[in-house]
Amino acid sequence: MSQPPSASPLPFVDLAAQRARLGPAVDQAIARVLEHGRFIMGPEVARLEQVLARFCGARHAIACASGTDALLLGLLALETGPGDAVIVPAFTFAATAEAVALLGATPVFVDIDPVSFCLEPTGLEPAIALARSHGLRPRGVIPVDLFGQPCAYPAIEEIAARHGLWLLADAAQSFGARFGARAVGTIGRATATSFFPAKPLGCYGDGGAILTDDDALAATCRSLRVHGQGTDKYDNARIGLNARLDTLQAAILLEKLAIFPDEIERRNAVAQRYTEALAPVVRSPKVDVGNTSVWAQYTIVLEAGRRDQVAADLKAAGVPTAVYYPRPLHRQTAYRSYPVAGPKGRLPVSEAMAAQVLSLPMHPYLSATDQNRVVAALTRACRAGAGP
Ligand SMILES: *Cc1c(COP(=O)(O)O)cnc(C)c1O
């Protein structure tokens, strides 16, 4: 028998399937922008901001050029600078700590919870004490909703409030998720999200947004996004950035938002199928009770020392995988000198997860047939190394 067509490698994220579903809508939206020619801050940007704000229930959405710029805008608006300490988890994408360090403030690294992969709230008070011992002013926390699930916000909020710290949520992976009755985008002083193509809501380039209920903070972010402009175009009120979202990307996002709720449902169905099928095989991710996830990644935890072989076996079976993240931030060259709130400068959970996690193909268009192929290959790979 010839090879079944399904033997060709699966995509990790299938943007082509999404594009096929969207049909001509995106092309037409792009064509409209080309026609009106308002490429910078065109009408689609303002419309997108309204739709984003309504989608999550935030008072304000400020579109910007990337998730990293959203973090920067938030930190700038909160007047973060030298002498300030901002607590960030070590197990995240570099941008979370980079935005802090770029402004001359000091990221203080804390560990994560091994089940949710999100910031462990009990690490906050030791981090606050550590920041003070370094002569720094603890100012805020950037909780990261890693892999699509919101953090343990009530515990984080309680500790932050007690110490007068703000929360700037890094929701680059979780826009569209909910924490109980609250939607991501309405938690903390402000929320930063990303529209990088592979995020749950992605555009066709770089993009991001900051969401907040705080009128003054929103106005400051709007000014900062355009070089700190004031009411007089040639009298800048503050030092800012060029961090606008392109009109073309806004037009694309408006089309993608129309199918986003359905895509979130599909992502959850895919995750549930994985979890049921993989329960006897590996430790699969758990979403806390009352939480929902948008499943930016479906990340399993393998036994120590098994990952390279399992990933190689899966690759041979045409199943791509990815490691998010192989090196926690406190172990990366650029971030080694920042304070680490852990025993002897270690963050044991972040370090263990960096060595053991593996993310599987995850997107709304993953068919049951293709998913069975992932499950079968993973089951074989795990049993192969499991010993007698
Ligand atoms: C993707 C990501 C960012 C940065 O977003 P960009 O749009 O790529 O700048 C920040 N934080 C986390 C957790 C991310 O996953």
Side-chain angles (χ1 to χ4, degrees), residues 287-313:
V287 174
D288 288 340
V289 179
N291 249 2
T292 65
S293 178
V294 289
W295 298 102
Q297 302 296 336
Y298 189 93
T299 303
I300 58 172
V301 181
L302 296 166
E303 283 168 39
R306 292 279 299 125
R307 184 171 64 199
D308 289 354
Q309 188 59 51
V310 169
D313 288 357

Side-chain angles (χ1 to χ4, degrees), residues 18 55 71 74 85 109 127 152 177 191 201 222 296 356 359 379:
Q18 184 195 52
F55 186 90
L71 288 166
F109 293 116
T191 298
L201 177 63
R222 286 186 192 286
Q356 291 177 250
S359 299
T379 305

Side-chain angles (χ1 to χ4, degrees), residues 66-68 71 92-93 95-96 144 146 170 172-173 194-196 199 206-207 325:
S66 68
T68 307
L71 288 166
T92 177
F93 182 60
T96 314
V144 180
L146 204 71
D170 182 341
Q173 301 184 13
S194 165
F195 305 128
F196 182 84
K199 306 281 173 168
D206 277 309
Y325 296 92

